[in-house]
Amino acid sequence: MSPMITSILILSLATGTIITMASFHWLLAWMGLELNTLAILPIISKSHHPRATEASTKYFLTQAAASALILFSSVMNAQATGQWGILQLEDPLAQTLLTMALAMKLGLAPAHFWLPEVLQGTSFKTGLIIITWQKLAPMTLLLLTWNQASMLTLTMMGSLSVIVGGLGGLNQTQLRKIIAFSSIAHLGWMATIITKSNKLALLNLTMYILISTPMMLSLIFSSTKTTQDLTTSAPSPILAPLT
């Protein structure tokens, strides 16, 4: 992929997230999410490996379904209330559908199955974008509608994500799948916390990004892909008993 195309895709990725974070209209927020999804797809499949193509297809189908559900819930809310504003989410069914759609975009259980497969099929650099930058737009919508979202749905999906993320990474040797289940568990804690305080959830998201970014960068620089690689790439065998 040429540097010009890569620059355009990265710019589109940033633009889509900024549009969603700065909008107070559901159509603009949906447009930013769609731009975000379309920009990341060529980045995921740029290696032209069958596994990367499969990962990009799974990512596209999941994100497109979630975006369609967001648009459907916003139309239902507009039909019931006559309002298109993000802060005027008053229809109960629209609240539940929107919560489920944002949970699908984030990768909360039980809609988490795409995240480990997508991360395993792409590079660590793209995986870093998926688990950090790609979470900003849906988390922003969740933080904006935290007092209007379905608290029961968020609590149930968040609690299930903590369990699935904690247990799912135990029997894995691929670091990308371990990171994916770790992301699911962290997002579960954020979804559970956001029902009590959106400021604490924002702090949790910030800490998650600050921890995940240097960890992923260290794995990228050391070319470490499995737990077995940790024992050979480490300067001392201190990590050997842990693998």
Side-chain angles (χ1 to χ4, degrees):
M1 189 180 295
S2 66
M4 179 64 71
I5 296 178
T6 304
S7 302
I8 293 174
L9 292 176
I10 295 296
L11 182 61
S12 300
L13 201 65
T15 304
T17 303
I18 292 172
I19 288 175
T20 302
M21 295 176 70
S23 62
F24 286 93
H25 195 283
W26 278 117
L27 285 181
L28 282 177
W30 171 80
M31 184 179 68
L33 291 172
E34 287 296 296
L35 181 61
N36 210 345
T37 301
L38 293 176
I40 194 67
L41 290 177
I43 299 177
I44 296 176
S45 60
K46 66 180 179 180
S47 63
H48 302 294
H49 192 274
R51 197 66 189 271
T53 306
E54 178 188 356
S56 62
T57 304
K58 289 179 178 178
Y59 187 84
F60 168 72
L61 292 176
T62 306
Q63 299 296 315
S67 296
L69 197 56
I70 289 175
L71 190 60
F72 178 66
S73 62
S74 62
V75 170
M76 285 186 58
N77 183 71
Q79 185 177 10
T81 64
Q83 299 288 335
W84 280 94
I86 292 179
L87 301 180
Q88 282 83 34
L89 189 66
E90 299 174 1
D91 186 63
L93 182 57
Q95 292 174 355
T96 304
L97 290 177
L98 178 73
T99 305
M100 295 174 62
L102 292 177
M104 187 185 299
K105 273 194 166 293
L106 289 169
L108 289 175
H112 68 284
F113 297 101
W114 63 272
L115 186 55
E117 298 297 326
V118 169
L119 280 191
Q120 185 60 31
T122 188
S123 64
F124 272 96
K125 292 180 182 179
T126 310
L128 176 60
I129 298 175
I130 292 174
I131 67 171
T132 55
W133 184 265
Q134 291 297 93
K135 306 299 182 187
L136 294 179
M139 277 301 297
T140 300
L141 292 178
L142 205 55
L143 288 169
L144 286 174
T145 60
W146 73 278
N147 58 344
Q148 299 171 327
S150 176
M151 296 299 175
L152 178 61
T153 306
L154 265 182
T155 304
M156 291 179 60
M157 298 185 80
S159 303
L160 185 60
S161 297
V162 171
I163 298 173
V164 170
L167 297 179
L170 292 179
N171 198 28
Q172 301 292 335
T173 58
Q174 295 290 330
L175 290 177
R176 278 171 291 188
K177 283 197 173 182
I178 295 175
I179 292 169
F181 283 109
S182 173
S183 177
I184 293 170
H186 279 88
L187 289 169
W189 284 116
M190 292 179 211
T192 307
I193 293 172
I194 205 173
T195 59
K196 304 300 180 183
S197 172
N198 60 341
K199 294 182 179 179
L200 284 178
L202 181 60
L203 177 62
N204 195 347
L205 175 64
T206 305
M207 294 299 297
Y208 165 70
I209 293 176
L210 291 178
I211 292 172
S212 299
T213 302
M215 178 194 66
M216 290 287 285
L217 290 177
S218 65
L219 295 177
I220 292 170
F221 293 144
S222 61
S223 300
T224 306
K225 295 183 179 180
T226 63
T227 53
Q228 187 66 30
D229 294 337
L230 288 173
T231 62
T232 58
S233 62
S236 65
I238 192 171
L239 290 175
L242 300 178
T243 58

